Amino acid sequence: MRPENRALLKDVFLDLCPKSAHRWKPVDDATTPDEQAGAFGTLFTVGNNRLPKGDYAYRLAERLATRPDGFRVPEHLAAAIRWIADVDGGGR
């Protein structure tokens, strides 16, 4: 999770789950990128209150469509998109 994207991702989560700030706390408390990724992943996979990934993805896409400024696409995703689209001789 890119640090500059964390506030947006948190806002989207809390928009969908307004009474669940306590569930986001492990993401905020994580000290390494691997810990952050693990904590973020548990929002979608652990417990009875897990958030459907599709719901989150849809809400995030809506937010980015209306307010894209400030969001940074992680390099590994940008590289994958370039490869799939065969941009810059991406490898396909």
Side-chain angles (χ1 to χ4, degrees):
M1 175 182 303
R2 296 186 65 92
E4 59 269 30
N5 294 340
R6 187 186 300 191
L8 171 67
L9 298 176
K10 182 177 182 177
D11 286 346
V12 170
F13 175 77
L14 293 176
D15 188 37
L16 287 165
C17 305
K19 296 180 180 181
S20 295
H22 64 283
R23 291 181 54 212
W24 186 270
K25 188 170 178 4
V27 178
D28 282 338
D29 292 346
T31 58
T32 68
D34 285 343
E35 287 178 4
Q36 287 176 355
F40 185 71
T42 62
L43 299 173
F44 306 99
T45 59
V46 175
N48 294 331
N49 294 324
R50 64 180 174 242
L51 177 62
K53 292 177 189 175
D55 292 354
Y56 186 83
Y58 183 81
R59 188 64 58 94
L60 178 60
E62 278 186 325
R63 182 77 57 95
L64 292 175
T66 59
R67 291 181 271 163
D69 294 343
F71 185 80
R72 296 270 325 250
V73 176
E75 183 52 39
H76 68 283
L77 292 179
I81 293 167
R82 286 191 298 272
W83 184 84
I84 290 167
D86 198 24
V87 174
D88 301 328
R92 280 189 69 153

